[in-house]
Amino acid sequence: MKHNPYSITIGELALSGLNNISNEVISNNHLIYSSPATLSYNAPGAQGFGVKRAGLVLPESIMLLVSPGCCGRNTTILGDSGGYSDRMFHYSMSESDLVTGAHLSAIPQAVKEIIEVCHSKPKVVLICITCVDALLGTDLERVCRKVEKEVEGIHVVPSYMYALLREGKNAPMVAIRNTLYSLVTRDCVDNKQVNLLGQFAPYDDDCEIYDLLKSIGLTNIKEISRCKDFEDYKTLGRANFNLILNGEARMAAIEMEKKLGIPFAELTRLYEIDKIEKQYKLFGAALGVTFDDKKYLSEATSVIKEFTNEFKGTKVAIGKVLNANSFELALALTQYGCKVEAIFCEPSKNDYSYINRISELSSSTKVYPPLSPSMTNYIEESDVVDITIGRDCQYYYPNTLNISWADEIQPFGYKGLIHLLNQISLELRKGARK
Amino acid sequence: MIGLRKYLSPFIPDQSGAVATFFELGGIIVIIDAGGCVGNICGFDEPRYYNSSKSAIFSAALRDLDAILGRDDLLIDKIGDAIKHFDCKFIALVGTPIPAVIGTDYKALERMCENRYKVPTVSVDTNGIDLYDEGVSKALFNLFKKFSKEEILIDSFIGILGSIPQDLPSLKSSDNLVELIENNGFKAIQYDKNFESFKSAKYCKLNIVVSPSALKAARYLEKLYNIPYLVDYPISEENKKSLIKSISKILKIERPFVNNSHNLPINKDIIQNINGQKILIISQQVIANSLREILKTSSKYEVVDVASWFILDDYLKERTDTKLKEEDDLSSLVDSRKYDVVIGDPLLKRALPKYTSQFIALNHFAISGSLYQIENDSELLKSIL
């Protein structure tokens, strides 16, 4: 019997609304299909920053993962390629620990032993626990306080890799951002300092956000990934305000506002040029300033013009493992003359503003839910496209040009848009030459 | 310290071993987890994941309330929705730490699936704490227990048990072994690549066990159907001849030896390059024993011991072989017995920070994953050849 992968057109999706769409599109309602394209959903750390690697962004830190062996399998294996295997340690729980919780009393000794084998004395030890401790109701904060008393001069902080809570408000990648900023203290305020919150790696050096912030007197721009040591990290507490550039850091910003009185503002990564411009205007208005973004706006406008002239009608497929919201990117590229044939991403409630607008421009664009069991029937290159965007999209179109657009160094704003269009253009030109 | 890993990652866990056993059998594999276990199994523990579409792997995607309320009925509903999308031969349910904590009744899940969907279902109560070979052992045993009583009549054959890539040197290893056996006039079937073979198990004339994780299944088949088994995996040209000779002897069919297309090192070259008196081999027991047999043909070694964190079967073990449990056990063993050659996965060097004598690489996927994976068996022991 022939089976097909589930797909729905953007037009149908817009018409049905989120409340009336098929179960296939709602990941909570079905088993999760594990294809190489969805690996990042199940194991964000397999190809980028998962909880463990993200935790180690905290300068001069080490991590002790306390879990069944299966959760720690990738610590050193992955650590070798990520360059942090000497900062990652594991305490393997036994079967009786699952019942008795006896592993918690072994943590102080384990921490002392791992500190001894470190090349240099760490300033911070992150203790990370997983789903089983979520079920056991482990009070890790208490454990950390106990350990901290036994290891003089070292901060011991809790971190949580609770896959069970993935769709909750305190999902693992939200919780780890909270952990990362939990040691920030506020000794004084530097009115010229702003912290960029959200990512585990810096933004592109040439991103206009740095210049624009400097132009209004915010000359000290801090990011955790650029902190050279723990002393430097501590100065994050001096910020005039936090600027969230990824929604998963909102909880951390709220905590810092509550605990330290650091206010925050939030910007979204966008690829629609008019929306980028509007966002900077609104941000400026909120701060009582005007950003002079003409230079960047004009550069981006001319790149778009060139792109549209050369590549109008280019057929594109977009995945979900990329530095963009798949639907917003689809909308932007449609506006720039591309024909988005397929989007491989489950829509969320927040995507509907984009979906409704795409449906007006390209209602036949197909949406495939990558996590749906029906995707076992997906046949490579089902729709013919000229280029695919997203690391996962390579799996669906192995013989088509691809840009992964999933680098760890983060794109943002006009420059993000410019770099994206330049990369697509470069790839298409290379493809045309072949 | 018990449980602490300062230098090594935990080894491949039982749940990955179970999935590896089911991987090429054409079923739907449902891992009863929240998602992270599936990520690790597919992303790190299964070298065939990126190049095979023979099985469909799913996460049950348990959430906190599913675990707290034990919503098995919801899981069964989701499985029912998933199997509508393809013609699966069977359903495999694989445990993880979450069902271990909440005490999931796997047999009940099996029955619910079979009653409702009329699809044969097999479960493995893995817990993410035990090692991969335990998972392989349980999965193989449960498959034979479930399906070997069925009757699918085929020509008699030699069964190969335990030939998953996590246990063998390369992805080509098991196919090379089949080629060798078939070149010598025998029909060979790898159980873990052929679901129907479990239903034909009683027509097997001889099982070849290539890793200790398959011993339990081999003994079960011996007891139930009187099928003899041979424990061996060839890692040298001489080993190959000896394996074929043993098969011929058991099956009472004498034939001239025919080699396969993949050359292995010869014993002399291996021996020539291992320069010490006290040798420790750390690998899965069948391969370690094959290497020991080669070294024993020379009088230059005083001691050749085997150690492993994985199954060390008493029947295959020598008196001075050691079962390792903790990470520290390795350095304690090497220090106390003063071995001057250690042969094992390159990653193990990290756990021997003070050891300075010869270390010979013998990769084991279950330890280092794809870090030191080799293309084919001829590259085995390449660091000394």
Side-chain angles (χ1 to χ4, degrees):
Chain A
M1 187 175 152
K2 191 177 180 309
H3 301 282
N4 292 312
Y6 177 87
S7 71
I8 184 168
T9 65
I10 277 278
E12 290 164 341
L13 204 52
L15 206 63
S16 63
L18 193 62
N19 294 330
N20 297 312
I21 56 175
S22 161
N23 269 351
E24 298 297 327
V25 184
I26 305 167
S27 60
N28 271 346
N29 291 353
H30 54 72
L31 297 180
I32 301 294
Y33 174 43
S34 173
S35 75
T38 63
L39 184 61
S40 294
Y41 174 82
N42 287 319
Q47 293 165 328
F49 282 97
V51 167
K52 289 172 272 190
R53 191 171 164 218
L56 290 171
V57 167
L58 218 158
E60 297 186 80
S61 66
I62 60 171
M63 181 181 276
L64 176 67
L65 177 69
V66 179
S67 70
C70 61
C71 316
R73 170 71 184 145
N74 61 0
T75 50
T76 313
I77 299 292
L78 187 67
D80 245 30
S81 51
Y84 63 84
S85 59
D86 56 347
R87 294 171 62 203
M88 190 77 220
F89 303 90
H90 184 250
Y91 179 86
S92 284
M93 290 170 72
S94 67
E95 203 165 0
S96 66
D97 291 336
L98 295 184
V99 182
T100 63
H103 58 292
L104 301 176
S105 52
I107 293 176
Q109 181 58 31
V111 171
K112 284 183 209 161
E113 289 198 23
I114 61 173
I115 288 170
E116 274 172 33
V117 297
C118 288
H119 299 308
S120 57
K121 190 178 169 183
K123 298 277 170 56
V124 183
V125 178
L126 293 126
I127 298 178
C128 183
I129 55 175
T130 63
C131 298
V132 288
D133 275 292
L135 292 172
L136 293 173
T138 296
D139 181 355
L140 187 60
E141 288 189 19
R142 186 189 62 81
V143 175
C144 288
R145 282 196 298 274
K146 189 179 170 203
V147 179
E148 205 167 63
K149 280 183 195 157
E150 298 190 27
V151 288
E152 211 181 318
I154 296 176
H155 298 278
V156 182
V157 290
S159 57
Y160 307 92
M161 195 164 68
Y162 288 168
L164 274 173
L165 303 180
R166 173 172 289 162
E167 266 92 33
K169 62 177 184 183
N170 207 10
M173 295 315 288
V174 171
I176 193 63
R177 285 173 166 92
N178 224 346
T179 299
L180 277 180
Y181 297 100
S182 63
L183 291 173
V184 172
T185 53
R186 194 157 174 85
D187 52 356
C188 61
V189 180
D190 175 357
N191 285 329
K192 292 178 178 173
Q193 182 178 324
V194 58
N195 299 329
L196 305 185
L197 304 191
Q199 304 296 351
F200 306 110
Y203 286 84
D204 280 320
D205 285 338
D206 68 351
C207 179
E208 75 275 1
I209 190 97
Y210 298 112
D211 285 345
L212 295 180
L213 290 170
K214 281 177 188 162
S215 73
I216 60 162
L218 291 162
T219 50
N220 190 10
I221 302 163
K222 306 282 290 184
E223 289 162 273
I224 193 167
S225 53
R226 291 188 197 259
C227 288
K228 53 185 188 295
D229 53 29
F230 187 66
E231 282 305 306
D232 194 15
Y233 161 87
K234 284 205 295 193
T235 64
L236 292 174
R238 297 176 188 166
N240 185 331
F241 68 95
N242 285 323
L243 183 56
I244 303 169
L245 297 178
N246 177 326
E248 287 187 320
R250 201 174 301 127
M251 182 88 94
I254 291 169
E255 277 298 305
M256 281 198 273
E257 184 176 52
K258 233 190 283 177
K259 262 174 46 190
L260 310 172
I262 305 178
F264 65 88
E266 183 168 349
L267 298 181
T268 305
R269 175 161 42 207
L270 299 164
Y271 291 90
E272 284 179 280
I273 189 165
D274 55 329
K275 294 291 183 288
I276 298 172
E277 185 191 10
K278 191 176 172 190
Q279 181 167 245
Y280 279 130
K281 273 206 177 96
L282 291 171
F283 180 42
L287 296 177
V289 297
T290 304
F291 287 110
D292 181 8
D293 60 352
K294 282 188 208 82
K295 185 173 89 178
Y296 304 103
L297 174 63
S298 137
E299 187 187 351
T301 306
S302 73
V303 170
I304 291 169
K305 200 173 161 193
E306 271 175 46
F307 179 85
T308 306
N309 282 342
E310 193 173 351
F311 299 113
K312 190 173 181 186
T314 295
K315 291 180 178 175
V316 180
I318 298 172
K320 66 191 256 189
V321 184
L322 74 176
N323 291 324
N325 172 308
S326 309
F327 293 96
E328 197 271 336
L329 180 59
L331 175 59
L333 290 178
T334 305
Q335 288 170 347
Y336 306 149
C338 292
K339 172 86 183 87
V340 178
E341 293 286 340
I343 304 169
F344 293 82
C345 186
E346 289 80 7
S348 73
K349 203 170 125 192
N350 296 337
D351 296 325
Y352 259 82
S353 60
Y354 305 126
I355 290 167
N356 291 333
R357 290 170 59 210
I358 302 169
S359 77
E360 289 165 13
L361 302 170
S362 171
S363 66
S364 62
T365 296
K366 281 187 197 166
V367 176
Y368 290 93
L371 302 174
S372 155
S374 74
M375 288 298 280
T376 46
N377 300 305
Y378 183 84
I379 296 164
E380 290 172 0
E381 324 268 347
S382 281
D383 313 281
V384 177
V385 298
D386 301 308
I387 191 164
T388 65
I389 307 170
R391 188 189 282 141
D392 51 336
C393 236
Q394 273 180 304
Y395 171 76
Y396 301 113
Y397 299 86
N399 303 312
T400 302
L401 300 174
N402 169 268
I403 63 161
S404 74
W405 200 244
D407 286 354
E408 290 179 357
I409 300 293
Q410 295 293 311
F412 190 84
Y414 296 114
K415 282 289 184 183
L417 169 61
I418 292 165
H419 291 318
L420 173 70
L421 295 183
N422 285 344
Q423 258 200 49
I424 297 174
S425 306
L426 194 72
E427 203 58 31
L428 286 169
R429 284 183 202 124
K430 265 199 278 179
R433 277 201 296 272
K434 275 177 191 169
Chain B
M1 180 182 177
I2 292 173
L4 185 61
R5 298 259 178 176
K6 290 185 278 195
Y7 304 103
L8 302 173
S9 286
F11 305 134
I12 293 187
D14 56 357
Q15 55 201 34
S16 301
V19 171
T21 307
F22 296 129
F23 193 79
E24 297 196 45
L25 298 181
I28 147 172
I29 303 170
V30 181
I31 298 164
I32 308 175
D33 78 326
C37 294
V38 167
N40 275 341
I41 291 167
C42 297
F44 300 97
D45 296 344
E46 183 44 74
R48 297 164 290 183
Y49 175 63
Y50 290 94
N51 302 312
S52 171
S53 55
K54 287 186 179 161
S55 280
I57 302 181
F58 294 93
S59 164
L62 298 175
R63 294 297 168 257
D64 48 351
L65 284 179
D66 300 328
I68 292 162
L69 302 172
R71 298 196 282 211
D72 288 349
D73 48 344
L74 187 61
L75 174 61
I76 300 296
D77 288 347
K78 288 181 177 182
I79 292 172
D81 285 340
I83 59 174
K84 282 181 203 155
H85 294 291
F86 40 84
D87 308 312
C88 68
K89 293 176 180 169
F90 69 102
I91 299 167
L93 305 173
V94 177
T96 70
I98 294 173
V101 170
I102 63 175
T104 293
D105 182 347
Y106 292 96
K107 288 292 161 202
L109 289 179
E110 259 186 49
R111 278 196 302 273
M112 285 162 84
C113 279
E114 290 186 336
N115 289 341
R116 209 186 289 181
Y117 306 123
K118 312 296 175 213
V119 177
T121 304
V122 61
S123 66
V124 193
D125 62 343
T126 40
N127 57 19
I129 288 172
D130 294 332
L131 295 174
Y132 80 103
D133 47 349
E134 293 290 347
V136 176
S137 180
K138 284 179 181 175
L140 269 180
F141 182 75
N142 290 356
L143 280 165
F144 282 115
K145 208 171 155 197
K146 183 110 200 169
F147 299 111
S148 71
K149 286 165 192 155
E150 292 185 27
E151 288 273 352
I152 291 197
L153 184 64
I154 58 166
D155 292 341
S156 63
F157 64 96
I158 291 176
I160 298 176
L161 276 170
S163 59
I164 54 167
Q166 288 80 352
D167 254 328
L168 298 183
S170 76
L171 282 169
K172 293 176 185 156
S173 298
S174 63
D175 289 340
N176 293 347
L177 183 59
V178 169
E179 187 196 26
L180 175 71
I181 295 169
E182 297 207 327
N183 281 1
N184 282 277
F186 305 103
K187 182 181 175 187
I189 291 181
Q190 300 164 72
Y191 283 107
D192 41 33
K193 287 191 177 178
N194 185 335
F195 177 64
E196 303 306 325
S197 66
F198 288 92
K199 298 178 179 175
S200 316
K202 63 181 71 162
Y203 301 104
C204 177
K205 292 292 165 205
L206 167 71
N207 281 314
I208 298 178
V209 175
V210 298
S211 67
S213 51
L215 277 166
K216 188 178 174 186
R219 284 172 183 149
Y220 175 75
L221 294 172
E222 184 184 45
K223 196 174 163 192
L224 205 63
Y225 304 116
N226 212 18
I227 303 167
Y229 68 91
L230 185 64
V231 182
D232 202 356
Y233 183 79
I235 61 167
S236 74
E237 285 298 317
E238 290 89 334
N239 273 176
K240 282 184 191 171
K241 283 181 193 160
S242 133
L243 172 68
I244 297 300
K245 203 172 160 189
S246 303
I247 293 172
S248 304
K249 196 174 159 191
I250 294 169
L251 298 181
K252 299 187 177 73
I253 303 169
E254 286 297 328
R255 290 201 181 105
F257 174 76
V258 182
N259 207 343
N260 61 353
S261 54
H262 298 271
N263 293 326
L264 294 180
I266 57 168
N267 289 356
K268 199 179 107 199
D269 287 342
I270 295 173
I271 289 164
Q272 195 180 320
N273 291 298
I274 297 181
N275 299 313
Q277 274 81 50
K278 294 184 162 187
I279 321 291
L280 178 65
I281 306 166
I282 309 152
S283 187
Q284 61 103 324
Q285 196 180 17
V286 176
I287 287 182
N289 278 357
S290 290
L291 182 55
R292 171 156 58 193
E293 287 309 309
I294 293 168
L295 301 186
K296 276 185 165 179
T297 59
S298 163
S299 58
K300 83 185 213 194
Y301 309 112
E302 194 183 305
V303 170
V304 185
D305 290 340
V306 168
S308 182
W309 282 275
F310 308 110
I311 295 171
L312 271 191
D313 187 79
D314 284 343
Y315 175 71
L316 307 175
K317 203 172 133 189
E318 293 197 359
R319 195 179 46 81
T320 50
D321 290 351
T322 306
K323 169 86 176 159
L324 305 167
K325 191 162 187 304
E326 301 302 328
E327 181 185 82
D328 296 347
D329 291 350
L330 177 61
S331 57
S332 306
L333 178 71
V334 171
D335 288 350
S336 64
R337 297 215 188 143
K338 298 186 170 41
Y339 292 109
D340 51 11
V341 178
V342 174
I343 304 170
D345 190 276
L347 202 67
L348 297 177
K349 272 196 279 188
R350 291 173 191 220
L352 292 168
K354 292 176 191 158
Y355 176 77
T356 52
S357 301
Q358 191 179 16
F359 189 102
I360 295 166
L362 178 67
N363 71 297
H364 190 179
F365 194 92
I367 292 178
S368 59
S370 55
L371 277 183
Y372 305 104
Q373 206 177 1
I374 57 175
E375 283 291 308
N376 59 60
D377 287 22
S378 59
E379 294 171 46
L380 202 64
L381 298 166
K382 65 181 170 189
S383 62
I384 57 159
L385 295 168

